[in-house]
Amino acid sequence: MAEHGEANIDGKLAAEFAVPSHAEEVKKQMSAFAERHGAAGRRVVLITSGGTKVPLESRTVRFLDNFSSGRRGASSAEYFLDSGYAVIFLHRHRSLYPYTRLYSGINILDTLQVQHEDGASSSSCGQVVVNQQALPNIAKVLKRYQEVKEEGFLLPIEFSTLSEYLHLLKAAAQALSTIGSRAMFYLAAAVSDFYIPASDMPEHKIQSSNGPLQISMKMVPKILSPLVKDWAPQAFVISFKLETDPSILLDKARRALDTYRHQAVVANVLDTRRGYVVVVTPDTQAELILTDEDVNKGAEIEDQIVSNLTAAHSQFITKDA
Ligand code: PMT
């Protein structure tokens, strides 16, 4: 990926990316969440998940999107919660969500049945019951989901557009700066590298009667740079590197570490990302692999990724103390 113009990113953010109307409110929620869990001595991870949407018109009819389903982020959130972390889940609206992701391909109406009490007329509505076989492990998953919710360990925040993502990530970084090295950033979202500044965007729907469309897009500032240097300099930061060509992956991951000076890169290739990743740090390189046997047992690679990174985070905190 090309390096992006990094000078004065804060100014660029303010000038070229519309601030979401709820940014201040969300920042307050995130600050309160970080303070509460920080005071309890808990670590907090900010997970970004899903793809950003880049509008082509101000009154948006069309936009550029990407492939990310949010599965990496959603499943990682569950493993972080199981490891005792509090989780801010900054995710694309309608992308996969912790726990419900396990049932995302299922039509809810195929899991329910109507039961009529004896003697009730067939025209009465009856009681709706769940067919548990249609929802594997539902009782266990529901119990865990409710525990996490009741204990207030998961703070979900949504974004759709690139502008929302950038501003909310900055707000999250500022909110988490109060807990220093106990904060982790796990940047699994697929963020657009290109955008059209609001000042260059047509207001109305682009007309096909004008013929073939040519668009010119600018480079999005690389947000890792101010995140690591200015917004949350004490935090443990993990970026992800996605490529389609495996031969350039590790080199790109190393280059990202050299450039941004953060703690780790999780490197993955589009087609094999569910079963193979490499966690690269300045001094180490760990290949994580899901075998066929693991897959048959229902294991997920995110379990290994999270366990690798939580151990590295412990060492990071110890060094900081
Ligand atoms: O959601 P799934 O379908 O499960 O897929 C998971 C995944 C493949 C999306 C995930 O594992 C992954 O690799 N996410 C990062 C994809 C990506 O955007 O890679 P990149 O090489 O373009 O960006 C590298 C890093 O720079 C990312 O951590 C990103 O957060 C960060 N970035 C990107 C653009 C930008 N303007 N500023 C940034 O800081």
Side-chain angles (χ1 to χ4, degrees), residues 33-34 36 76 94 105 113 205 229 233 235 238 247 250 252 288 301:
F33 186 84
R36 179 160 64 86
S76 301
R94 292 199 184 136
Q113 285 164 349
K205 182 184 170 198
K229 273 202 285 215
I238 298 130
S247 71
L250 291 180
K252 298 282 257 183
L288 307 181
I301 194 131

Side-chain angles (χ1 to χ4, degrees), residues 7 33 48 77 104 148 151 160 183 253 288:
F33 186 84
T48 68
S104 65
V148 163
E151 286 161 353
S160 288
L288 307 181

Side-chain angles (χ1 to χ4, degrees), residues 47-95:
I47 299 177
T48 68
S49 182
T52 57
K53 172 168 140 182
V54 178
L56 301 188
E57 301 125 338
S58 329
R59 300 190 189 198
T60 309
V61 175
R62 303 187 184 90
F63 50 84
L64 291 186
D65 210 332
N66 68 59
F67 70 94
S68 171
S69 63
R71 180 168 148 183
R72 173 85 81 224
S75 91
S76 301
E78 293 169 22
Y79 293 108
F80 276 113
L81 288 161
D82 289 346
S83 308
Y85 280 68
V87 175
I88 300 179
F89 187 59
L90 179 59
H91 65 288
R92 166 72 181 271
H93 178 60
R94 292 199 184 136
S95 62

Side-chain angles (χ1 to χ4, degrees), residues 8-316:
N8 192 13
I9 291 181
D10 276 314
K12 199 166 202 171
L13 258 188
E16 297 190 3
F17 297 91
V19 183
S21 55
H22 62 314
E24 271 309 309
E25 178 55 36
V26 171
K27 188 171 169 185
K28 278 189 202 146
Q29 281 175 25
M30 294 191 286
S31 298
F33 186 84
E35 262 170 47
R36 179 160 64 86
H37 290 291
R42 211 163 283 126
R43 300 180 195 175
V44 181
V45 60
L46 180 281
I47 299 177
T48 68
S49 182
T52 57
K53 172 168 140 182
V54 178
L56 301 188
E57 301 125 338
S58 329
R59 300 190 189 198
T60 309
V61 175
R62 303 187 184 90
F63 50 84
L64 291 186
D65 210 332
N66 68 59
F67 70 94
S68 171
S69 63
R71 180 168 148 183
R72 173 85 81 224
S75 91
S76 301
E78 293 169 22
Y79 293 108
F80 276 113
L81 288 161
D82 289 346
S83 308
Y85 280 68
V87 175
I88 300 179
F89 187 59
L90 179 59
H91 65 288
R92 166 72 181 271
H93 178 60
R94 292 199 184 136
S95 62
L96 292 183
Y97 191 84
Y99 308 109
T100 60
R101 71 170 176 112
L102 297 162
Y103 308 107
S104 65
I106 296 173
N107 180 340
I108 182 88
L109 297 183
D110 291 335
T111 71
L112 305 175
Q113 285 164 349
V114 179
Q115 267 182 4
H116 294 280
E117 278 173 29
D118 289 346
S121 75
S122 58
S123 61
S124 77
C125 282
Q127 263 208 326
V128 175
V129 292
V130 178
N131 170 9
Q132 292 202 29
Q133 275 166 356
L135 297 171
N137 297 321
I138 186 65
K140 193 171 147 219
V141 173
L142 180 61
K143 183 165 173 277
R144 185 68 187 128
Y145 170 77
Q146 287 175 339
E147 275 166 12
V148 163
K149 205 171 166 182
E150 276 159 25
E151 286 161 353
F153 278 4
L154 177 63
L155 177 63
I157 308 283
E158 288 188 344
F159 66 84
S160 288
T161 63
L162 174 67
S163 294
E164 287 167 356
Y165 172 85
L166 296 173
H167 284 288
L168 295 178
L169 178 61
K170 179 177 175 184
Q174 290 170 333
L176 286 179
S177 64
T178 55
I179 62 163
S181 61
R182 268 179 294 144
M184 184 196 286
F185 288 80
Y186 184 87
L187 304 172
V191 183
S192 177
D193 286 322
F194 310 103
Y195 78 110
I196 303 177
S199 51
D200 297 354
M201 217 185 278
E203 181 184 354
H204 293 287
K205 182 184 170 198
I206 298 167
Q207 294 298 312
S208 59
S209 53
N210 292 343
L213 178 62
Q214 284 199 334
I215 46 176
S216 165
M217 303 185 85
K218 287 197 178 171
M219 297 300 294
V220 176
K222 194 76 177 173
I223 222 69
L224 260 175
S225 181
L227 177 74
V228 175
K229 273 202 285 215
D230 306 320
W231 299 342
Q234 290 177 291
F236 187 73
V237 178
I238 298 130
S239 70
F240 280 67
K241 173 53 66 186
L242 176 77
E243 292 296 341
T244 50
D245 175 359
S247 71
I248 59 169
L249 182 66
L250 291 180
D251 185 45
K252 298 282 257 183
R254 292 234 157 267
R255 231 185 296 164
L257 280 179
D258 285 346
T259 307
Y260 303 108
R261 307 256 155 218
H262 55 306
Q263 283 67 43
V265 175
V266 178
N268 57 175
V269 171
L270 185 64
D271 296 340
T272 55
R273 69 189 191 279
R274 304 274 174 243
Y276 177 77
V277 306
V278 186
V279 180
V280 185
T281 74
D283 319 308
T284 62
Q285 190 167 301
E287 281 190 304
L288 307 181
I289 301 165
L290 210 56
T291 62
D292 289 346
E293 202 187 333
D294 294 332
V295 174
N296 291 338
K297 282 189 208 144
E300 295 179 303
I301 194 131
E302 287 77 13
D303 191 3
Q304 296 185 39
I305 302 175
V306 168
S307 135
N308 179 299
L309 293 171
T310 51
H313 191 197
S314 297
Q315 284 184 5
F316 179 79

